Amino acid sequence: MTRAHTPKRRAQGGFVAMVGLLITLSFLSYAFVLYSEKAQKERIKSDTQSFYNRLLFLKQQIHAFNADQYQNGRHINSAELFPATLQNLEGVYVPPCLPADNAQGFCFLIDQTPWGKINYEREPLVTPTGTNTWRAVMRFTLPDQSDPAFTTELSMSISMLTQIPTNEYDPALNQMTIYVNRPDMAFAYDGLVKRSGDDSTLLGDWDVGGNFAITNVKDITIRNSDGTQRLVSRGLSEIVTRNHGGWIDKPACPNGTSPAITLGLGAIKITSDYDLTGSQKPYLLSQTASQWQVGLEIRVVRKSTGQPLIHNDGVINAFVQCK
């Protein structure tokens, strides 16, 4: 009896083993599909992230081009503030990518996208205040939205690329547009002087309107006819007048200079009873840390007796400056 059922039991055992193997293979196949889908998503995410970063880098380098053009004298509302083509950025602002290196995947062409090329142009723009200016525009097509194979890639690309400021997505054209406006806050507004002052020159006369002053200046230089510079702090003089024994305040001077005074004769007064001997001399009587005291010596003789005398009646001109 037992022997009669042995082949049947063996057949059943083989069937169970086969079912178990099929179940195992099914799980393995399912796991492989999940792994493949995850790997594909990671690849798509990595490619999109790479392109996202390259777009941000291009915007940054266009702004660097803007700043250099502005500092070289280009008007802030000129089209020349932006590169005529993306290739104008290569070398100085963006490392060049040789076709041979690109073919081997070592680098990307400057206008390359994962799905084609970037169409770049300079576009006129009217600001909200009515100013006519320019901006750069980068347009490119996203993965084919009619192909189910690109559904995940399209969705992920739109989600990531729309995070870039000043973007615009057109679903009808399946086209993404990135605008690069002039970076006013990055270097200066029209009519303002670059705050840092380095490598910066005015593009015209600076008129403060007559209602404001330039204050707290360390010094100012004036160009001489031979190209040399004259320090205003050492060239400006204040002229004051005093009588004999009068006091004059010493000026506060910039670092590297000190108060200096030069005395001149303004006027003398003598009556008809005296004759000048030809000697009139303004001089310093004394000084403190903050003041000078000036004096005046006028040598005369009394007509009636011929006696020599010193008078002090007159006006002294004092030239005060920092040297």
Side-chain angles (χ1 to χ4, degrees), residues 3-321:
R3 291 179 181 177
H5 289 282
T6 299
K8 184 175 181 181
R9 288 180 178 178
R10 288 178 179 176
Q12 288 176 346
F15 177 75
V16 170
M18 185 176 295
V19 171
L21 178 61
L22 291 175
I23 293 174
T24 301
L25 290 176
S26 297
F27 275 114
L28 289 175
S29 299
Y30 180 68
F32 180 77
V33 170
L34 291 178
Y35 174 80
S36 298
E37 291 179 350
K38 182 179 180 181
Q40 183 182 23
K41 289 181 179 180
E42 290 297 325
R43 179 192 60 77
I44 293 172
K45 182 179 180 181
S46 177
D47 291 346
T48 306
Q49 182 70 54
S50 174
F51 182 53
Y52 172 88
N53 291 333
R54 286 200 294 119
L55 286 175
L56 291 182
F57 178 69
L58 280 178
K59 287 189 65 175
Q60 181 186 51
Q61 297 314 109
I62 290 174
H63 282 168
F65 184 93
N66 294 153
D68 287 343
Q69 292 299 303
Y70 182 71
Q71 296 304 323
N72 288 332
R74 299 290 185 184
H75 194 276
I76 198 165
N77 292 321
S78 169
E80 283 72 28
L81 202 68
F82 292 89
T85 68
L86 287 178
Q87 284 70 24
N88 291 143
L89 297 174
E90 290 185 316
V92 177
Y93 303 94
V94 178
C97 177
L98 299 177
D101 293 334
N102 176 253
Q104 297 185 60
F106 295 153
C107 60
F108 294 97
L109 301 177
I110 194 170
D111 59 354
Q112 184 177 349
T113 79
W115 318 284
K117 295 182 65 175
I118 297 174
N119 295 313
Y120 172 87
E121 64 177 335
R122 297 184 295 199
E123 180 180 86
L125 173 70
V126 179
T127 68
T129 59
T131 302
N132 292 312
T133 186
W134 293 79
R135 65 181 174 185
V137 182
M138 294 185 287
R139 292 189 175 91
F140 50 90
T141 302
L142 295 181
D144 188 357
Q145 56 187 343
S146 63
D147 190 338
F150 292 107
T151 300
T152 301
E153 188 168 358
L154 177 63
S155 175
M156 193 174 295
S157 300
I158 293 174
S159 176
M160 185 170 293
L161 296 177
T162 51
Q163 297 178 42
I164 299 177
T166 61
N167 76 83
E168 184 178 276
Y169 175 62
D170 186 341
L173 298 176
N174 193 32
Q175 186 179 76
M176 180 71 71
T177 302
I178 306 296
Y179 298 102
V180 186
N181 297 317
R182 72 182 193 198
D184 291 345
M185 296 303 294
F187 52 93
Y189 282 106
D190 186 19
L192 291 185
V193 179
K194 182 179 176 183
R195 183 175 180 182
S196 67
D198 58 300
D199 300 323
S200 176
T201 56
L202 293 175
L203 304 179
D205 293 335
W206 190 12
D207 185 353
V208 298
N211 297 318
F212 304 97
I214 302 174
T215 64
N216 202 29
V217 177
K218 180 180 180 180
D219 213 334
I220 296 175
T221 63
I222 298 175
R223 180 184 173 91
N224 297 319
S225 59
D226 61 357
T228 59
Q229 300 290 318
R230 179 179 296 276
L231 287 171
V232 172
S233 63
R234 296 175 182 267
L236 292 180
S237 298
E238 181 184 2
I239 302 176
V240 297
T241 59
R242 292 291 187 272
N243 299 119
H244 177 78
W247 288 91
I248 299 173
D249 292 334
K250 293 181 178 180
C253 293
N255 291 334
T257 65
S258 57
I261 187 170
T262 303
L263 301 178
L265 187 63
I268 58 173
K269 297 177 183 179
I270 60 172
T271 66
S272 59
D273 296 331
Y274 301 91
D275 282 331
L276 284 172
T277 63
S279 175
Q280 308 108 44
K281 180 181 69 174
Y283 63 99
L284 283 178
L285 277 172
S286 64
Q287 65 176 308
T288 67
S290 60
Q291 288 185 312
W292 293 291
Q293 187 184 30
V294 296
L296 178 61
E297 183 181 282
I298 306 170
R299 293 185 179 272
V300 299
V301 295
R302 191 186 298 272
K303 289 180 179 180
S304 60
T305 63
Q307 179 185 8
L309 299 168
I310 296 177
H311 283 190
N312 310 107
D313 193 8
V315 176
I316 304 164
N317 290 333
F319 299 85
V320 179
Q321 62 182 151

